[in-house]
Amino acid sequence: MPVRPVLAAALGGAALLCALATPALAAAAPGESVTVDSTARLAADGTVTLSGTYRCLPGTGPVFVSSSVSQADPRVRHGIGGSAARCDGVEHRWENTGKVSSETLKAGAAHVQANVMELRPSGLVPLPVFHATRDRDITLVRS
């Protein structure tokens, strides 16, 4: 099994759980941000591609951009990939791709959450630290 999809799913799940459990950590520090583009691509096979920009300051652990999308029921979020981030204070583009059941999402209005999350070393288990979080209503467009 490829490592990247497993890592992306684990990071996306951890980011979602931590965001729900600790909303106070979601505020971006000065100079850090994440954006979500207003449209995203939805392929016939259920592959979703989300994108945007991020800016983060250097940390001590690996940093990732995770994303999720919801549509009809805002309580049901689908993790869409995860990508490594470079935290150097410069704005960078991010793009995450993931596949959900082709019946799950439809072209039209949707909601995306994107997080820039660092896995900061802390004893035996790295702890998630959020650099920036963004929620945005978008449009899914068939590609």
Side-chain angles (χ1 to χ4, degrees), residues 56-71:
C56 52
L57 302 174
T60 58
V63 181
F64 302 89
V65 178
S66 64
S67 56
S68 63
V69 63
S70 61
Q71 202 163 46

Side-chain angles (χ1 to χ4, degrees), residues 52-100:
T53 64
Y54 71 91
R55 178 188 320 259
C56 52
L57 302 174
T60 58
V63 181
F64 302 89
V65 178
S66 64
S67 56
S68 63
V69 63
S70 61
Q71 202 163 46
D73 184 348
R75 298 170 299 170
V76 178
R77 292 185 176 266
H78 305 278
I80 305 298
S83 53
R86 184 174 20 164
C87 291
D88 56 7
V90 176
E91 186 173 87
H92 299 280
R93 295 273 317 150
W94 65 270
E95 182 175 285
N96 291 342
T97 301
K99 190 172 181 179
V100 299

